[in-house]
Amino acid sequence: MAVPEIWAGVDIGKEHHHCVVINPDGERLLSRRVLNDESELLELIGEVLAISTDVLWAVDLSHGGAALLIGLLLSQDQPLVYLTGLAVCRASATYKGEGKTDARDAFVIADQARVRRDLGLLRSGDEIAVDLRTLTNRRLDVVFDRTRQINRLRARLLEMFPALERSLDLVNKGPLMLLTGFQTPAAIRRAGVRRIETWLRNRKVRGAGTLAKKAVEAAQAQHTALPGEKPAAAMVVRLAKGVMALDEEIAELDALIEARFREHPHAEVIRSLPGMGPRLGAEFLAATGGDMDAFGSADRLAGFAGLAPRPRDSGRVSGNLRRPKWYHRGLLRSMYLSAMVSITTCPASKAFYQRKRDEGKGHKQALLALARRRLNVLWAMIRDGKCYQGSPPVAAAA
């Protein structure tokens, strides 16, 4: 990347940003507070380009309040780099003065972009990858909400009916459906096994007989009605219905994610890698933006995923390798989970995993090593546009 004539650093805020433009000598050419509004931001971009069209923009946030500015800059093909908030905070300590203002932070961002040569250009990713990022992030939020709802449901049941809480697996649909109709020991005993079983079968619950029997056995173990049972039972119904509603949303999101993922040009190549299904493949595209050229090499991609250890040597200590503190958790998750699946479905992955275990590595270490190996393979597959082959083709006899 050629050295630009000016650098524009933007300190991102929720309602307002502050932009500082500097020249090669670090002198301020412009310092302005701007509203996070399209017309205001376009006016700012015009003012900066009026100073010089050879400009490098730098921001300290790559999402949230910075989304509109980033979108406008990328739509005009403006080069843009990103510095983490931690990097800006640490760099600020090396500048004179202890005060902290938006203008000072914007200057630090611009100056760091001027002196550093290790900052890669920020890319928006293709449209499908952006859509998948939105869908997968939403799915993750819903999954977390579901876990919290189940924990609340268990806590409420434990206070009211601990025997039933112990006997039910609340991650399944059947127990949740049961709780929407029967919550207290007395109500379950009055209904009996046959009535509860019929009620569950009418609602298409699998294993209705076994579930009804478990509920009645739990009810027989508790004949005491605890204080606050009636409002607690109503809360159990509400929580159970909430978990079921979240299950429906997760199923809808899975369908949307799979359909959108199949439209990506790399979908067939990614899916051919054992253990990489539509959902994990979608998470891979959402994390990488769908453009492998942005990383330059498989090693840089591995570093972005947290699969490339970093040296931490000091004095007489050498060869001390640790996982980096800053990496993309979503990309690491997709590669780790796909590696976990592959050791049961792919002979090559299973053999590699077993070799690492024989070398003395633990289960997690062996899986991480396999994830790194598979990331290299996936990189080469996408680069060459070729699907995975479990074994090299055998040459035909002459």
Side-chain angles (χ1 to χ4, degrees), residues 328-365:
H328 198 289
R329 266 68 177 173
L331 181 55
L332 176 61
R333 177 180 178 275
S334 65
M335 297 309 303
Y336 185 86
L337 292 180
S338 68
M340 186 182 299
V341 175
S342 70
I343 61 177
T344 62
T345 60
C346 176
S349 295
K350 184 177 181 179
F352 183 89
Y353 169 82
Q354 191 58 49
R355 186 165 72 249
K356 293 300 177 181
R357 292 304 303 270
D358 294 340
E359 293 174 1
K361 296 185 182 297
H363 171 70
K364 185 177 180 180
Q365 290 178 312

PDB file of all heavy atoms in Angstrom, residues 328-365:
ATOM      1  N   HIS A 328     -10.735 -14.003  16.517  1.00  0.00           N
ATOM      2  CA  HIS A 328     -12.170 -14.072  16.231  1.00  0.00           C
ATOM      3  C   HIS A 328     -12.748 -15.346  16.845  1.00  0.00           C
ATOM      4  O   HIS A 328     -12.488 -16.444  16.370  1.00  0.00           O
ATOM      5  CB  HIS A 328     -12.412 -14.056  14.721  1.00  0.00           C
ATOM      6  CG  HIS A 328     -13.814 -13.705  14.340  1.00  0.00           C
ATOM      7  ND1 HIS A 328     -14.872 -14.561  14.555  1.00  0.00           N
ATOM      8  CD2 HIS A 328     -14.345 -12.584  13.774  1.00  0.00           C
ATOM      9  CE1 HIS A 328     -15.983 -14.005  14.133  1.00  0.00           C
ATOM     10  NE2 HIS A 328     -15.692 -12.796  13.658  1.00  0.00           N
ATOM     11  N   ARG A 329     -13.526 -15.170  17.905  1.00  0.00           N
ATOM     12  CA  ARG A 329     -14.091 -16.333  18.610  1.00  0.00           C
ATOM     13  C   ARG A 329     -15.020 -17.142  17.722  1.00  0.00           C
ATOM     14  O   ARG A 329     -15.069 -18.368  17.808  1.00  0.00           O
ATOM     15  CB  ARG A 329     -14.856 -15.876  19.855  1.00  0.00           C
ATOM     16  CG  ARG A 329     -14.070 -15.869  21.143  1.00  0.00           C
ATOM     17  CD  ARG A 329     -12.992 -14.821  21.171  1.00  0.00           C
ATOM     18  NE  ARG A 329     -12.296 -14.785  22.455  1.00  0.00           N
ATOM     19  CZ  ARG A 329     -11.221 -14.048  22.690  1.00  0.00           C
ATOM     20  NH1 ARG A 329     -10.715 -13.286  21.729  1.00  0.00           N
ATOM     21  NH2 ARG A 329     -10.630 -14.067  23.874  1.00  0.00           N
ATOM     22  N   GLY A 330     -15.782 -16.468  16.854  1.00  0.00           N
ATOM     23  CA  GLY A 330     -16.709 -17.185  15.986  1.00  0.00           C
ATOM     24  C   GLY A 330     -16.001 -18.084  15.001  1.00  0.00           C
ATOM     25  O   GLY A 330     -16.440 -19.214  14.733  1.00  0.00           O
ATOM     26  N   LEU A 331     -14.882 -17.606  14.433  1.00  0.00           N
ATOM     27  CA  LEU A 331     -14.129 -18.422  13.486  1.00  0.00           C
ATOM     28  C   LEU A 331     -13.482 -19.605  14.195  1.00  0.00           C
ATOM     29  O   LEU A 331     -13.492 -20.733  13.683  1.00  0.00           O
ATOM     30  CB  LEU A 331     -13.068 -17.571  12.793  1.00  0.00           C
ATOM     31  CG  LEU A 331     -12.207 -18.280  11.744  1.00  0.00           C
ATOM     32  CD1 LEU A 331     -13.070 -18.930  10.683  1.00  0.00           C
ATOM     33  CD2 LEU A 331     -11.221 -17.307  11.115  1.00  0.00           C
ATOM     34  N   LEU A 332     -12.925 -19.372  15.382  1.00  0.00           N
ATOM     35  CA  LEU A 332     -12.345 -20.478  16.144  1.00  0.00           C
ATOM     36  C   LEU A 332     -13.420 -21.502  16.496  1.00  0.00           C
ATOM     37  O   LEU A 332     -13.187 -22.722  16.403  1.00  0.00           O
ATOM     38  CB  LEU A 332     -11.690 -19.949  17.420  1.00  0.00           C
ATOM     39  CG  LEU A 332     -11.125 -21.014  18.374  1.00  0.00           C
ATOM     40  CD1 LEU A 332     -10.027 -21.828  17.695  1.00  0.00           C
ATOM     41  CD2 LEU A 332     -10.604 -20.378  19.652  1.00  0.00           C
ATOM     42  N   ARG A 333     -14.597 -21.033  16.873  1.00  0.00           N
ATOM     43  CA  ARG A 333     -15.687 -21.948  17.235  1.00  0.00           C
ATOM     44  C   ARG A 333     -16.082 -22.828  16.053  1.00  0.00           C
ATOM     45  O   ARG A 333     -16.251 -24.045  16.208  1.00  0.00           O
ATOM     46  CB  ARG A 333     -16.887 -21.130  17.712  1.00  0.00           C
ATOM     47  CG  ARG A 333     -18.118 -21.959  18.046  1.00  0.00           C
ATOM     48  CD  ARG A 333     -19.259 -21.054  18.512  1.00  0.00           C
ATOM     49  NE  ARG A 333     -20.459 -21.829  18.782  1.00  0.00           N
ATOM     50  CZ  ARG A 333     -21.339 -22.171  17.865  1.00  0.00           C
ATOM     51  NH1 ARG A 333     -21.162 -21.796  16.604  1.00  0.00           N
ATOM     52  NH2 ARG A 333     -22.409 -22.876  18.182  1.00  0.00           N
ATOM     53  N   SER A 334     -16.227 -22.237  14.872  1.00  0.00           N
ATOM     54  CA  SER A 334     -16.650 -23.016  13.707  1.00  0.00           C
ATOM     55  C   SER A 334     -15.607 -24.068  13.339  1.00  0.00           C
ATOM     56  O   SER A 334     -15.958 -25.210  13.002  1.00  0.00           O
ATOM     57  CB  SER A 334     -16.919 -22.095  12.519  1.00  0.00           C
ATOM     58  OG  SER A 334     -15.740 -21.454  12.090  1.00  0.00           O
ATOM     59  N   MET A 335     -14.315 -23.722  13.413  1.00  0.00           N
ATOM     60  CA  MET A 335     -13.282 -24.684  13.061  1.00  0.00           C
ATOM     61  C   MET A 335     -13.129 -25.758  14.129  1.00  0.00           C
ATOM     62  O   MET A 335     -12.900 -26.935  13.820  1.00  0.00           O
ATOM     63  CB  MET A 335     -11.945 -23.962  12.850  1.00  0.00           C
ATOM     64  CG  MET A 335     -11.947 -22.966  11.701  1.00  0.00           C
ATOM     65  SD  MET A 335     -12.556 -23.638  10.131  1.00  0.00           S
ATOM     66  CE  MET A 335     -11.453 -25.024   9.870  1.00  0.00           C
ATOM     67  N   TYR A 336     -13.278 -25.381  15.398  1.00  0.00           N
ATOM     68  CA  TYR A 336     -13.137 -26.350  16.488  1.00  0.00           C
ATOM     69  C   TYR A 336     -14.285 -27.364  16.455  1.00  0.00           C
ATOM     70  O   TYR A 336     -14.063 -28.584  16.573  1.00  0.00           O
ATOM     71  CB  TYR A 336     -13.107 -25.615  17.824  1.00  0.00           C
ATOM     72  CG  TYR A 336     -12.853 -26.500  19.017  1.00  0.00           C
ATOM     73  CD1 TYR A 336     -11.555 -26.814  19.413  1.00  0.00           C
ATOM     74  CD2 TYR A 336     -13.909 -27.026  19.762  1.00  0.00           C
ATOM     75  CE1 TYR A 336     -11.312 -27.619  20.512  1.00  0.00           C
ATOM     76  CE2 TYR A 336     -13.675 -27.839  20.861  1.00  0.00           C
ATOM     77  CZ  TYR A 336     -12.374 -28.127  21.231  1.00  0.00           C
ATOM     78  OH  TYR A 336     -12.140 -28.939  22.315  1.00  0.00           O
ATOM     79  N   LEU A 337     -15.517 -26.877  16.298  1.00  0.00           N
ATOM     80  CA  LEU A 337     -16.663 -27.780  16.271  1.00  0.00           C
ATOM     81  C   LEU A 337     -16.643 -28.684  15.039  1.00  0.00           C
ATOM     82  O   LEU A 337     -16.992 -29.866  15.120  1.00  0.00           O
ATOM     83  CB  LEU A 337     -17.960 -26.976  16.313  1.00  0.00           C
ATOM     84  CG  LEU A 337     -18.255 -26.238  17.614  1.00  0.00           C
ATOM     85  CD1 LEU A 337     -19.574 -25.479  17.521  1.00  0.00           C
ATOM     86  CD2 LEU A 337     -18.293 -27.204  18.794  1.00  0.00           C
ATOM     87  N   SER A 338     -16.232 -28.147  13.899  1.00  0.00           N
ATOM     88  CA  SER A 338     -16.160 -28.987  12.701  1.00  0.00           C
ATOM     89  C   SER A 338     -15.073 -30.047  12.842  1.00  0.00           C
ATOM     90  O   SER A 338     -15.232 -31.176  12.367  1.00  0.00           O
ATOM     91  CB  SER A 338     -15.901 -28.123  11.465  1.00  0.00           C
ATOM     92  OG  SER A 338     -14.607 -27.551  11.492  1.00  0.00           O
ATOM     93  N   ALA A 339     -13.979 -29.713  13.526  1.00  0.00           N
ATOM     94  CA  ALA A 339     -12.930 -30.706  13.781  1.00  0.00           C
ATOM     95  C   ALA A 339     -13.448 -31.793  14.715  1.00  0.00           C
ATOM     96  O   ALA A 339     -13.142 -32.985  14.535  1.00  0.00           O
ATOM     97  CB  ALA A 339     -11.701 -30.033  14.378  1.00  0.00           C
ATOM     98  N   MET A 340     -14.262 -31.403  15.691  1.00  0.00           N
ATOM     99  CA  MET A 340     -14.820 -32.382  16.618  1.00  0.00           C
ATOM    100  C   MET A 340     -15.725 -33.378  15.890  1.00  0.00           C
ATOM    101  O   MET A 340     -15.710 -34.573  16.166  1.00  0.00           O
ATOM    102  CB  MET A 340     -15.597 -31.653  17.719  1.00  0.00           C
ATOM    103  CG  MET A 340     -16.098 -32.564  18.830  1.00  0.00           C
ATOM    104  SD  MET A 340     -17.052 -31.648  20.065  1.00  0.00           S
ATOM    105  CE  MET A 340     -15.818 -30.483  20.641  1.00  0.00           C
ATOM    106  N   VAL A 341     -16.505 -32.860  14.939  1.00  0.00           N
ATOM    107  CA  VAL A 341     -17.389 -33.741  14.166  1.00  0.00           C
ATOM    108  C   VAL A 341     -16.579 -34.623  13.223  1.00  0.00           C
ATOM    109  O   VAL A 341     -16.896 -35.804  13.026  1.00  0.00           O
ATOM    110  CB  VAL A 341     -18.406 -32.901  13.377  1.00  0.00           C
ATOM    111  CG1 VAL A 341     -19.258 -33.789  12.469  1.00  0.00           C
ATOM    112  CG2 VAL A 341     -19.302 -32.114  14.321  1.00  0.00           C
ATOM    113  N   SER A 342     -15.512 -34.085  12.650  1.00  0.00           N
ATOM    114  CA  SER A 342     -14.768 -34.809  11.617  1.00  0.00           C
ATOM    115  C   SER A 342     -14.055 -36.048  12.138  1.00  0.00           C
ATOM    116  O   SER A 342     -13.829 -36.989  11.380  1.00  0.00           O
ATOM    117  CB  SER A 342     -13.740 -33.875  10.959  1.00  0.00           C
ATOM    118  OG  SER A 342     -12.685 -33.563  11.854  1.00  0.00           O
ATOM    119  N   ILE A 343     -13.712 -36.072  13.439  1.00  0.00           N
ATOM    120  CA  ILE A 343     -12.983 -37.250  13.937  1.00  0.00           C
ATOM    121  C   ILE A 343     -13.889 -38.476  14.019  1.00  0.00           C
ATOM    122  O   ILE A 343     -13.391 -39.592  14.218  1.00  0.00           O
ATOM    123  CB  ILE A 343     -12.353 -36.973  15.327  1.00  0.00           C
ATOM    124  CG1 ILE A 343     -13.418 -36.632  16.362  1.00  0.00           C
ATOM    125  CG2 ILE A 343     -11.307 -35.883  15.216  1.00  0.00           C
ATOM    126  CD1 ILE A 343     -12.849 -36.429  17.750  1.00  0.00           C
ATOM    127  N   THR A 344     -15.185 -38.289  13.860  1.00  0.00           N
ATOM    128  CA  THR A 344     -16.106 -39.422  13.839  1.00  0.00           C
ATOM    129  C   THR A 344     -16.580 -39.758  12.429  1.00  0.00           C
ATOM    130  O   THR A 344     -17.215 -40.795  12.224  1.00  0.00           O
ATOM    131  CB  THR A 344     -17.344 -39.136  14.713  1.00  0.00           C
ATOM    132  OG1 THR A 344     -18.050 -38.005  14.190  1.00  0.00           O
ATOM    133  CG2 THR A 344     -16.922 -38.860  16.149  1.00  0.00           C
ATOM    134  N   THR A 345     -16.293 -38.879  11.454  1.00  0.00           N
ATOM    135  CA  THR A 345     -16.797 -39.094  10.095  1.00  0.00           C
ATOM    136  C   THR A 345     -15.706 -39.164   9.034  1.00  0.00           C
ATOM    137  O   THR A 345     -15.971 -39.640   7.931  1.00  0.00           O
ATOM    138  CB  THR A 345     -17.770 -37.967   9.711  1.00  0.00           C
ATOM    139  OG1 THR A 345     -17.096 -36.697   9.770  1.00  0.00           O
ATOM    140  CG2 THR A 345     -18.968 -37.938  10.657  1.00  0.00           C
ATOM    141  N   CYS A 346     -14.506 -38.701   9.347  1.00  0.00           N
ATOM    142  CA  CYS A 346     -13.437 -38.622   8.343  1.00  0.00           C
ATOM    143  C   CYS A 346     -12.234 -39.431   8.810  1.00  0.00           C
ATOM    144  O   CYS A 346     -11.634 -39.114   9.846  1.00  0.00           O
ATOM    145  CB  CYS A 346     -13.045 -37.164   8.119  1.00  0.00           C
ATOM    146  SG  CYS A 346     -11.659 -36.936   6.978  1.00  0.00           S
ATOM    147  N   PRO A 347     -11.832 -40.470   8.086  1.00  0.00           N
ATOM    148  CA  PRO A 347     -10.676 -41.278   8.492  1.00  0.00           C
ATOM    149  C   PRO A 347      -9.385 -40.477   8.592  1.00  0.00           C
ATOM    150  O   PRO A 347      -8.576 -40.697   9.500  1.00  0.00           O
ATOM    151  CB  PRO A 347     -10.590 -42.340   7.389  1.00  0.00           C
ATOM    152  CG  PRO A 347     -11.970 -42.418   6.813  1.00  0.00           C
ATOM    153  CD  PRO A 347     -12.519 -41.030   6.903  1.00  0.00           C
ATOM    154  N   ALA A 348      -9.181 -39.526   7.674  1.00  0.00           N
ATOM    155  CA  ALA A 348      -7.947 -38.736   7.702  1.00  0.00           C
ATOM    156  C   ALA A 348      -7.892 -37.870   8.957  1.00  0.00           C
ATOM    157  O   ALA A 348      -6.849 -37.772   9.622  1.00  0.00           O
ATOM    158  CB  ALA A 348      -7.850 -37.867   6.450  1.00  0.00           C
ATOM    159  N   SER A 349      -9.002 -37.242   9.316  1.00  0.00           N
ATOM    160  CA  SER A 349      -9.039 -36.413  10.527  1.00  0.00           C
ATOM    161  C   SER A 349      -8.866 -37.275  11.770  1.00  0.00           C
ATOM    162  O   SER A 349      -8.173 -36.880  12.718  1.00  0.00           O
ATOM    163  CB  SER A 349     -10.363 -35.641  10.600  1.00  0.00           C
ATOM    164  OG  SER A 349     -10.469 -34.715   9.548  1.00  0.00           O
ATOM    165  N   LYS A 350      -9.496 -38.432  11.779  1.00  0.00           N
ATOM    166  CA  LYS A 350      -9.376 -39.324  12.931  1.00  0.00           C
ATOM    167  C   LYS A 350      -7.938 -39.783  13.116  1.00  0.00           C
ATOM    168  O   LYS A 350      -7.417 -39.850  14.239  1.00  0.00           O
ATOM    169  CB  LYS A 350     -10.297 -40.532  12.748  1.00  0.00           C
ATOM    170  CG  LYS A 350     -10.316 -41.480  13.932  1.00  0.00           C
ATOM    171  CD  LYS A 350     -11.305 -42.612  13.712  1.00  0.00           C
ATOM    172  CE  LYS A 350     -11.331 -43.548  14.926  1.00  0.00           C
ATOM    173  NZ  LYS A 350     -12.304 -44.648  14.733  1.00  0.00           N
ATOM    174  N   ALA A 351      -7.257 -40.099  12.004  1.00  0.00           N
ATOM    175  CA  ALA A 351      -5.864 -40.546  12.082  1.00  0.00           C
ATOM    176  C   ALA A 351      -4.964 -39.418  12.583  1.00  0.00           C
ATOM    177  O   ALA A 351      -4.059 -39.643  13.409  1.00  0.00           O
ATOM    178  CB  ALA A 351      -5.404 -41.028  10.715  1.00  0.00           C
ATOM    179  N   PHE A 352      -5.186 -38.190  12.106  1.00  0.00           N
ATOM    180  CA  PHE A 352      -4.383 -37.055  12.553  1.00  0.00           C
ATOM    181  C   PHE A 352      -4.609 -36.799  14.045  1.00  0.00           C
ATOM    182  O   PHE A 352      -3.657 -36.560  14.798  1.00  0.00           O
ATOM    183  CB  PHE A 352      -4.749 -35.811  11.738  1.00  0.00           C
ATOM    184  CG  PHE A 352      -3.931 -34.593  12.079  1.00  0.00           C
ATOM    185  CD1 PHE A 352      -2.736 -34.339  11.440  1.00  0.00           C
ATOM    186  CD2 PHE A 352      -4.370 -33.691  13.042  1.00  0.00           C
ATOM    187  CE1 PHE A 352      -1.980 -33.207  11.756  1.00  0.00           C
ATOM    188  CE2 PHE A 352      -3.631 -32.573  13.367  1.00  0.00           C
ATOM    189  CZ  PHE A 352      -2.429 -32.337  12.713  1.00  0.00           C
ATOM    190  N   TYR A 353      -5.868 -36.835  14.463  1.00  0.00           N
ATOM    191  CA  TYR A 353      -6.195 -36.633  15.877  1.00  0.00           C
ATOM    192  C   TYR A 353      -5.530 -37.692  16.745  1.00  0.00           C
ATOM    193  O   TYR A 353      -4.931 -37.375  17.794  1.00  0.00           O
ATOM    194  CB  TYR A 353      -7.709 -36.669  16.054  1.00  0.00           C
ATOM    195  CG  TYR A 353      -8.170 -36.744  17.488  1.00  0.00           C
ATOM    196  CD1 TYR A 353      -8.258 -35.603  18.274  1.00  0.00           C
ATOM    197  CD2 TYR A 353      -8.517 -37.966  18.061  1.00  0.00           C
ATOM    198  CE1 TYR A 353      -8.679 -35.671  19.592  1.00  0.00           C
ATOM    199  CE2 TYR A 353      -8.933 -38.042  19.379  1.00  0.00           C
ATOM    200  CZ  TYR A 353      -9.016 -36.903  20.136  1.00  0.00           C
ATOM    201  OH  TYR A 353      -9.429 -36.975  21.453  1.00  0.00           O
ATOM    202  N   GLN A 354      -5.584 -38.955  16.316  1.00  0.00           N
ATOM    203  CA  GLN A 354      -4.994 -40.032  17.107  1.00  0.00           C
ATOM    204  C   GLN A 354      -3.481 -39.899  17.171  1.00  0.00           C
ATOM    205  O   GLN A 354      -2.859 -40.203  18.197  1.00  0.00           O
ATOM    206  CB  GLN A 354      -5.377 -41.387  16.510  1.00  0.00           C
ATOM    207  CG  GLN A 354      -5.034 -42.566  17.398  1.00  0.00           C
ATOM    208  CD  GLN A 354      -5.683 -42.479  18.760  1.00  0.00           C
ATOM    209  OE1 GLN A 354      -6.885 -42.244  18.864  1.00  0.00           O
ATOM    210  NE2 GLN A 354      -4.889 -42.649  19.816  1.00  0.00           N
ATOM    211  N   ARG A 355      -2.872 -39.431  16.086  1.00  0.00           N
ATOM    212  CA  ARG A 355      -1.420 -39.231  16.094  1.00  0.00           C
ATOM    213  C   ARG A 355      -1.023 -38.178  17.121  1.00  0.00           C
ATOM    214  O   ARG A 355      -0.017 -38.335  17.829  1.00  0.00           O
ATOM    215  CB  ARG A 355      -0.938 -38.831  14.694  1.00  0.00           C
ATOM    216  CG  ARG A 355       0.581 -38.750  14.584  1.00  0.00           C
ATOM    217  CD  ARG A 355       1.064 -38.716  13.154  1.00  0.00           C
ATOM    218  NE  ARG A 355       0.789 -37.450  12.499  1.00  0.00           N
ATOM    219  CZ  ARG A 355      -0.084 -37.281  11.518  1.00  0.00           C
ATOM    220  NH1 ARG A 355      -0.806 -38.310  11.107  1.00  0.00           N
ATOM    221  NH2 ARG A 355      -0.259 -36.105  10.965  1.00  0.00           N
ATOM    222  N   LYS A 356      -1.802 -37.103  17.209  1.00  0.00           N
ATOM    223  CA  LYS A 356      -1.520 -36.072  18.204  1.00  0.00           C
ATOM    224  C   LYS A 356      -1.719 -36.589  19.623  1.00  0.00           C
ATOM    225  O   LYS A 356      -0.970 -36.248  20.539  1.00  0.00           O
ATOM    226  CB  LYS A 356      -2.405 -34.843  17.953  1.00  0.00           C
ATOM    227  CG  LYS A 356      -2.082 -34.112  16.658  1.00  0.00           C
ATOM    228  CD  LYS A 356      -0.642 -33.622  16.656  1.00  0.00           C
ATOM    229  CE  LYS A 356      -0.266 -32.967  15.350  1.00  0.00           C
ATOM    230  NZ  LYS A 356       1.157 -32.518  15.341  1.00  0.00           N
ATOM    231  N   ARG A 357      -2.725 -37.441  19.819  1.00  0.00           N
ATOM    232  CA  ARG A 357      -2.931 -38.024  21.146  1.00  0.00           C
ATOM    233  C   ARG A 357      -1.774 -38.944  21.510  1.00  0.00           C
ATOM    234  O   ARG A 357      -1.320 -38.978  22.663  1.00  0.00           O
ATOM    235  CB  ARG A 357      -4.251 -38.807  21.190  1.00  0.00           C
ATOM    236  CG  ARG A 357      -5.501 -37.967  21.093  1.00  0.00           C
ATOM    237  CD  ARG A 357      -5.571 -36.887  22.160  1.00  0.00           C
ATOM    238  NE  ARG A 357      -5.482 -37.411  23.516  1.00  0.00           N
ATOM    239  CZ  ARG A 357      -6.513 -37.786  24.264  1.00  0.00           C
ATOM    240  NH1 ARG A 357      -7.742 -37.685  23.761  1.00  0.00           N
ATOM    241  NH2 ARG A 357      -6.341 -38.228  25.487  1.00  0.00           N
ATOM    242  N   ASP A 358      -1.265 -39.698  20.531  1.00  0.00           N
ATOM    243  CA  ASP A 358      -0.126 -40.585  20.770  1.00  0.00           C
ATOM    244  C   ASP A 358       1.142 -39.805  21.095  1.00  0.00           C
ATOM    245  O   ASP A 358       2.049 -40.321  21.762  1.00  0.00           O
ATOM    246  CB  ASP A 358       0.125 -41.478  19.549  1.00  0.00           C
ATOM    247  CG  ASP A 358      -1.025 -42.452  19.303  1.00  0.00           C
ATOM    248  OD1 ASP A 358      -1.797 -42.706  20.255  1.00  0.00           O
ATOM    249  OD2 ASP A 358      -1.158 -42.947  18.167  1.00  0.00           O
ATOM    250  N   GLU A 359       1.200 -38.542  20.627  1.00  0.00           N
ATOM    251  CA  GLU A 359       2.356 -37.687  20.935  1.00  0.00           C
ATOM    252  C   GLU A 359       2.274 -37.104  22.348  1.00  0.00           C
ATOM    253  O   GLU A 359       3.193 -36.403  22.774  1.00  0.00           O
ATOM    254  CB  GLU A 359       2.443 -36.546  19.925  1.00  0.00           C
ATOM    255  CG  GLU A 359       2.781 -37.015  18.504  1.00  0.00           C
ATOM    256  CD  GLU A 359       2.716 -35.873  17.496  1.00  0.00           C
ATOM    257  OE1 GLU A 359       2.417 -34.726  17.930  1.00  0.00           O
ATOM    258  OE2 GLU A 359       2.947 -36.113  16.308  1.00  0.00           O
ATOM    259  N   GLY A 360       1.176 -37.384  23.044  1.00  0.00           N
ATOM    260  CA  GLY A 360       1.039 -36.916  24.417  1.00  0.00           C
ATOM    261  C   GLY A 360       0.144 -35.704  24.597  1.00  0.00           C
ATOM    262  O   GLY A 360       0.010 -35.195  25.714  1.00  0.00           O
ATOM    263  N   LYS A 361      -0.490 -35.246  23.525  1.00  0.00           N
ATOM    264  CA  LYS A 361      -1.370 -34.090  23.639  1.00  0.00           C
ATOM    265  C   LYS A 361      -2.722 -34.513  24.204  1.00  0.00           C
ATOM    266  O   LYS A 361      -3.188 -35.622  23.962  1.00  0.00           O
ATOM    267  CB  LYS A 361      -1.564 -33.429  22.276  1.00  0.00           C
ATOM    268  CG  LYS A 361      -0.289 -32.848  21.685  1.00  0.00           C
ATOM    269  CD  LYS A 361      -0.575 -32.107  20.409  1.00  0.00           C
ATOM    270  CE  LYS A 361       0.707 -31.551  19.783  1.00  0.00           C
ATOM    271  NZ  LYS A 361       1.337 -30.558  20.662  1.00  0.00           N
ATOM    272  N   GLY A 362      -3.359 -33.600  24.935  1.00  0.00           N
ATOM    273  CA  GLY A 362      -4.689 -33.845  25.458  1.00  0.00           C
ATOM    274  C   GLY A 362      -5.740 -33.738  24.373  1.00  0.00           C
ATOM    275  O   GLY A 362      -5.454 -33.361  23.222  1.00  0.00           O
ATOM    276  N   HIS A 363      -6.971 -34.039  24.748  1.00  0.00           N
ATOM    277  CA  HIS A 363      -8.073 -34.009  23.769  1.00  0.00           C
ATOM    278  C   HIS A 363      -8.229 -32.627  23.142  1.00  0.00           C
ATOM    279  O   HIS A 363      -8.311 -32.497  21.909  1.00  0.00           O
ATOM    280  CB  HIS A 363      -9.366 -34.437  24.471  1.00  0.00           C
ATOM    281  CG  HIS A 363     -10.597 -34.254  23.644  1.00  0.00           C
ATOM    282  ND1 HIS A 363     -10.872 -35.025  22.535  1.00  0.00           N
ATOM    283  CD2 HIS A 363     -11.637 -33.366  23.757  1.00  0.00           C
ATOM    284  CE1 HIS A 363     -12.016 -34.637  21.995  1.00  0.00           C
ATOM    285  NE2 HIS A 363     -12.499 -33.642  22.723  1.00  0.00           N
ATOM    286  N   LYS A 364      -8.248 -31.594  23.964  1.00  0.00           N
ATOM    287  CA  LYS A 364      -8.442 -30.245  23.444  1.00  0.00           C
ATOM    288  C   LYS A 364      -7.268 -29.809  22.573  1.00  0.00           C
ATOM    289  O   LYS A 364      -7.464 -29.198  21.515  1.00  0.00           O
ATOM    290  CB  LYS A 364      -8.631 -29.274  24.609  1.00  0.00           C
ATOM    291  CG  LYS A 364      -8.959 -27.854  24.182  1.00  0.00           C
ATOM    292  CD  LYS A 364      -9.214 -26.968  25.395  1.00  0.00           C
ATOM    293  CE  LYS A 364      -9.538 -25.540  24.960  1.00  0.00           C
ATOM    294  NZ  LYS A 364      -9.786 -24.658  26.134  1.00  0.00           N
ATOM    295  N   GLN A 365      -6.054 -30.112  23.000  1.00  0.00           N
ATOM    296  CA  GLN A 365      -4.879 -29.741  22.205  1.00  0.00           C
ATOM    297  C   GLN A 365      -4.883 -30.441  20.858  1.00  0.00           C
ATOM    298  O   GLN A 365      -4.559 -29.844  19.829  1.00  0.00           O
ATOM    299  CB  GLN A 365      -3.602 -30.096  22.970  1.00  0.00           C
ATOM    300  CG  GLN A 365      -3.334 -29.228  24.179  1.00  0.00           C
ATOM    301  CD  GLN A 365      -2.082 -29.676  24.909  1.00  0.00           C
ATOM    302  OE1 GLN A 365      -1.900 -30.859  25.190  1.00  0.00           O
ATOM    303  NE2 GLN A 365      -1.222 -28.731  25.234  1.00  0.00           N
TER     304      GLN A 365
END
